[in-house]
Amino acid sequence: MTTLSLTPFRPAEDGPLLRTWVRTPTELMTWAGPSFTWPLDDAQFAAYAAEPGRHTWTAVSPGNHPVGHVSVAGTRLGRVLIAPEQRALGLGRTLVSQAVGLCFGELGLPEVTLGVWAHNTAAIRIYESLGFRTEQILTDVEEVDGAPWSAHQMRLTAPAR
């Protein structure tokens, strides 16, 4: 497994790089749902990072090179993103695994929930490999580029202590 560290997301420093990872309105919807507007800007990242109860992290590889992003609000894991040039290397699974570890450890959450677009099968495979299970499928909740998008609502319960 690749080693990553999760460091607090700094909007002014990390936002410009994150913006280069989300290159189109469709990629923005895939990453964050309808909560951001295109084009991404510094004000949106600052507001996002300042949301009460939201924990945001940048994933860095050895050598302190940013390679990903993730956040948690309440029990909801989201905004999982790997830098385009770093995809298909196993970093997504490592990033989610570490974020879940923080949720159940440092944050003391009883469960972690998430939503993922039904067509994002690579992400669904990662979540299922870590124990997440689909509890509900929301059909046609968004329309993107003229196509309806459905979403899996998934849950993982904290291990017994």
Side-chain angles (χ1 to χ4, degrees):
M1 182 182 277
T2 306
T3 303
L4 293 178
S5 299
L6 297 183
T7 62
F9 174 68
R10 302 162 305 162
E13 293 83 0
D14 300 331
L17 179 61
L18 188 56
R19 224 177 0 257
T20 69
W21 298 347
V22 181
R23 300 168 291 205
T24 67
T26 300
E27 287 182 2
L28 178 60
M29 180 63 77
T30 300
W31 172 58
S35 57
F36 287 97
T37 58
W38 184 261
L40 284 169
D41 59 35
D42 293 341
Q44 289 183 82
F45 281 132
Y48 160 63
E51 287 176 22
R54 180 173 297 280
H55 303 273
T56 56
W57 298 282
T58 296
V60 295
S61 64
N64 211 32
H65 179 70
V67 296
H69 179 85
V70 65
S71 75
V72 174
T75 64
R76 190 117 173 129
L77 179 76
R79 317 276 164 68
V80 177
L81 186 64
I82 297 295
E85 70 278 5
Q86 299 292 318
R87 293 179 186 157
L89 301 175
L91 296 178
R93 187 177 196 287
T94 301
L95 171 60
V96 172
S97 178
Q98 289 186 347
V100 167
L102 284 172
C103 289
F104 291 149
E106 183 179 314
L107 300 179
L109 299 178
E111 66 181 12
V112 177
T113 62
L114 60 85
V116 58
W117 298 116
H119 63 272
N120 193 347
T121 56
I124 292 170
R125 278 194 305 272
I126 288 170
Y127 299 136
E128 288 176 342
S129 77
L130 294 170
F132 283 87
R133 295 295 170 250
T134 297
E135 293 200 322
Q136 183 180 17
I137 297 177
L138 305 175
T139 305
D140 301 343
V141 291
E142 289 289 338
E143 185 174 310
V144 180
D145 298 330
W149 284 19
S150 297
H152 287 237
Q153 300 301 301
M154 303 182 83
R155 177 180 314 277
L156 177 65
T157 303
R161 298 180 194 242

